[in-house]
Amino acid sequence: MVPEIGGSMSPVLRCTQCPAKSFNICRPLDYDRQKELFDLGVQQRWPRRQALFRAGDPHGAIFKVTSGMVALSKQMPDGRRQILDFLLPGDICGFLETGEAHAFDCEAVTEATTCSFDRARLQAFSALHHEVAAAIRQAMVERLQRMATHMASVGQLSSTARLANFLCTLSQAYSAHDIQTRPLSLPMKRTDIADHLGLRLETVSRAFSKLKDRQLIDMVDDERVVLDQSLVARFSSEAYLG
Amino acid sequence: MVPEIGGSMSPVLRCTQCPAKSFNICRPLDYDRQKELFDLGVQQRWPRRQALFRAGDPHGAIFKVTSGMVALSKQMPDGRRQILDFLLPGDICGFLETGEAHAFDCEAVTEATTCSFDRARLQAFSALHHEVAAAIRQAMVERLQRMATHMASVGQLSSTARLANFLCTLSQAYSAHDIQTRPLSLPMKRTDIADHLGLRLETVSRAFSKLKDRQLIDMVDDERVVLDQSLVARFSSEAYLG
DNA sequence: CGGTTAGTTGAGTGCATTCAATCCCAGTGG
DNA sequence: CCACTGGGATTGAATGCACTCAACTAACCG
């Protein structure tokens, strides 16, 4: 799932308890400091559909996803939910809250493992190491930009274009996380994609069929898809959403 | 438009060149430090529809809105646009970019004035004054939460509910900025509201009519509306969007 | 085997869109 | 003064896209 990356400048450090590759907010740190940070972490395993935390929970830990996929979402009182983003191994969540409580829901979309850090200790660590604070800010800016692009997609595009754009965006995220993109794996359910795109699952299914018919994608099975080059060219964020 | 706020702990400091009330990221600063920061600013005036900056522009200044209303948006190649947020006096923009270029478009929705700061100098200032850095991070977190709530609205609600929620959210933002909410002023055009909510302007107009028919709002004129209590209770972010 | 879960497809409905007409108002010039 | 104009908002009629409800398939598991 997460292939080895070779030829890095310093040895790829692993959290003493985490199987996945290095914490992306730690890239700027040298080996000793990465080790110091990772030693703070505690590994946890989450079955599919289980909540890491819910909006309103008092926030304790900050989570780094180490395997599987996790969804950040907002739940409405009537049961509808909006999935804001899918998190991949290396991503962190639970750090962007105000006050004392979580603002979002966070749940495992597949079986997932995380490495969790005590919030106060990570904060103290980032106060000490200026580069970590900068990396956290950078992570926030990137999440903001991802959300903005996605909002434009949900607000402006037709169902099929929305799905096409989603697949391209996901492919780009996989590339950034050194995850294979051909075929592209879709570990989340159709319902999850629907809740992410602001559609019903039947509409998502029809959109998949349309893309297949137009030969813009090729489905290996329900959870593996190969994107055609022309799709990537037309619907990637840069090309399509400015 | 921006009534005086009385009884503050320290004197309400004004930027030497800015007519509006104090920079909200500066609330934690004492008087001397606020003054030091504000002295860096340069005032500018923008006619309606003019761009403060466009996505892709190399970023220079960071803007604080001092009067009027400004829209952050994402433009698509075919002309459609998604307005991400409306900025009120006291809000800042242009600080959440990666690399060398702006990620969003920013344009004046009404005639507006801004106080602009050199990016490098503000960054240096915030490195020096720890509380300012924290306030900037806080502003980013709040924008992220606003966008998340809005995304849930665009993704999940019907046109009328979307408009109702928008009006309530706007009212809350006005309160937080010490702007009058009864009546609530709507300085932006119907097109702007449509581009914010992911609807067509005709649909927005029909949604206004529906809310009027159900006596959930009362229109003074095209740009002034009074929200009924029951509307606020049902469609404010906390009540409706978790 | 039957039961469950996930996905696809069909038929019909409803809501938002498109296109067009009308209204209102402010500004302008005859 | 009134007629004309243009921008913005509203409303009507018809279309189309996404939704709802339902049937059906496939895979998995007891």
Side-chain angles (χ1 to χ4, degrees), chain B residues 158-159 198-200 202-203 206 210:
Chain B
S158 71
S159 62
L199 300 168
R200 303 281 107 197
E202 297 95 330
T203 309
R206 284 182 232 276
K210 268 190 196 168

Side-chain angles (χ1 to χ4, degrees), chain B residues 51-65:
Chain B
L52 278 66
F53 54 81
R54 293 256 164 242
D57 288 357
H59 54 212
I62 288 175
F63 299 93
K64 162 198 167 191
V65 179

Side-chain angles (χ1 to χ4, degrees), chain B residues 17 22 27 43 49 71 85-86 89 101 112 129 169 171 175-176 179:
Chain B
Q17 300 154 352
S22 117
R27 294 240 171 85
Q43 189 181 4
R49 297 240 153 275
D85 210 352
F86 292 109
H129 302 289
T169 304
S171 175
S175 295
I179 300 173

Side-chain angles (χ1 to χ4, degrees), chain B:
Chain B
M1 200 69 170
V2 182
E4 204 59 54
I5 47 172
S8 41
M9 305 294 284
S10 55
V12 176
L13 183 74
R14 294 170 181 291
C15 173
T16 47
Q17 300 154 352
C18 302
K21 77 187 166 83
S22 117
F23 204 1
N24 61 12
I25 68 162
C26 300
R27 294 240 171 85
L29 294 179
D30 63 35
Y31 189 92
D32 285 347
R33 283 179 174 175
Q34 281 190 46
K35 186 162 184 341
E36 190 185 337
L37 175 56
F38 284 146
D39 284 343
L40 301 174
V42 177
Q43 189 181 4
Q44 277 172 286
R45 165 169 297 274
W46 309 88
R48 199 166 105 58
R49 297 240 153 275
Q50 179 150 342
L52 278 66
F53 54 81
R54 293 256 164 242
D57 288 357
H59 54 212
I62 288 175
F63 299 93
K64 162 198 167 191
V65 179
T66 51
S67 78
M69 187 179 265
V70 162
L72 267 188
S73 65
K74 257 189 119 54
Q75 205 86 28
M76 330 244 295
D78 58 10
R80 286 177 291 189
R81 68 172 178 165
Q82 175 69 42
I83 290 185
L84 304 168
D85 210 352
F86 292 109
L87 305 186
L88 298 173
D91 291 334
I92 53 178
C93 61
F95 65 103
L96 37 61
E97 319 300 2
T98 42
E100 294 301 314
H102 283 291
F104 308 120
D105 300 290
C106 182
E107 69 178 43
V109 164
T110 64
E111 179 172 90
T113 56
T114 59
C115 188
S116 56
F117 299 85
D118 179 76
R119 183 184 185 78
R121 289 170 78 184
L122 181 59
Q123 227 152 27
F125 189 89
S126 83
L128 224 62
H129 302 289
H130 180 257
E131 326 84 85
V132 175
I136 289 178
R137 191 171 60 243
Q138 181 64 19
M140 285 179 61
V141 168
E142 277 168 22
R143 167 133 331 137
L144 204 48
Q145 293 188 358
R146 284 174 62 79
M147 283 190 43
T149 307
H150 185 239
M151 197 149 105
S153 167
V154 172
Q156 306 296 327
L157 301 184
S158 71
S159 62
T160 313
R162 236 181 277 183
L163 178 63
N165 177 249
F166 167 68
L167 293 174
C168 292
T169 304
L170 194 65
S171 175
Q172 289 171 331
Y174 276 27
S175 295
H177 288 77
D178 298 305
I179 300 173
Q180 176 188 12
T181 61
R182 288 177 71 83
L184 188 72
S185 103
L186 300 171
M188 73 294 278
K189 301 295 163 210
R190 295 290 186 266
T191 309
D192 298 320
I193 298 178
D195 286 348
H196 184 50
L197 299 181
L199 300 168
R200 303 281 107 197
L201 71 112
E202 297 95 330
T203 309
V204 170
S205 184
R206 284 182 232 276
F208 268 112
S209 300
K210 268 190 196 168
L211 294 177
K212 269 184 281 183
D213 291 348
R214 298 180 198 168
Q215 304 189 342
L216 292 170
I217 62 172
D218 195 25
M219 301 285 306
V220 183
D221 58 38
D222 279 1
E223 13 187 282
R224 283 156 196 276
V225 62
V226 179
L227 309 189
D228 189 89
Q229 277 309 322
S230 64
L231 187 86
V232 177
R234 280 179 47 211
F235 289 99
S236 66
S237 328
E238 307 91 46
Y240 203 64
L241 293 169

Side-chain angles (χ1 to χ4, degrees), chain A residues 65-222:
Chain A
V65 180
T66 50
S67 77
M69 186 178 268
V70 162
L72 267 188
S73 65
K74 257 189 119 56
Q75 204 86 28
M76 330 246 292
D78 58 10
R80 286 177 290 189
R81 67 171 179 166
Q82 176 68 42
I83 290 184
L84 304 168
D85 209 353
F86 292 108
L87 306 186
L88 298 172
D91 290 335
I92 52 177
C93 61
F95 66 103
L96 37 62
E97 319 299 3
T98 42
E100 293 301 313
H102 284 290
F104 307 121
D105 300 290
C106 183
E107 68 178 45
V109 164
T110 65
E111 178 172 271
T113 56
T114 59
C115 188
S116 57
F117 299 85
D118 179 77
R119 184 185 182 77
R121 290 170 78 183
L122 181 59
Q123 227 152 27
F125 189 89
S126 84
L128 223 63
H129 302 289
H130 179 257
E131 325 86 86
V132 175
I136 289 179
R137 191 171 61 243
Q138 181 64 17
M140 286 180 60
V141 168
E142 277 168 22
R143 166 133 331 137
L144 205 48
Q145 292 187 359
R146 284 174 61 81
M147 284 191 43
T149 307
H150 185 239
M151 195 148 106
S153 167
V154 172
Q156 306 296 326
L157 301 184
S158 72
S159 62
T160 313
R162 238 180 275 182
L163 178 62
N165 177 250
F166 167 68
L167 293 174
C168 293
T169 304
L170 194 65
S171 175
Q172 288 171 331
Y174 277 26
S175 294
H177 288 76
D178 298 306
I179 301 173
Q180 175 187 13
T181 61
R182 287 176 74 82
L184 189 72
S185 101
L186 300 172
M188 74 294 279
K189 301 293 164 212
R190 294 289 187 269
T191 309
D192 299 320
I193 299 178
D195 287 349
H196 184 49
L197 300 181
L199 300 169
R200 302 281 105 197
L201 70 109
E202 298 95 330
T203 309
V204 170
S205 183
R206 284 181 230 278
F208 268 112
S209 300
K210 267 190 196 168
L211 293 177
K212 270 183 280 183
D213 291 349
R214 296 180 198 168
Q215 303 188 345
L216 292 170
I217 62 172
D218 195 24
M219 302 285 305
V220 183
D221 57 40
D222 279 1

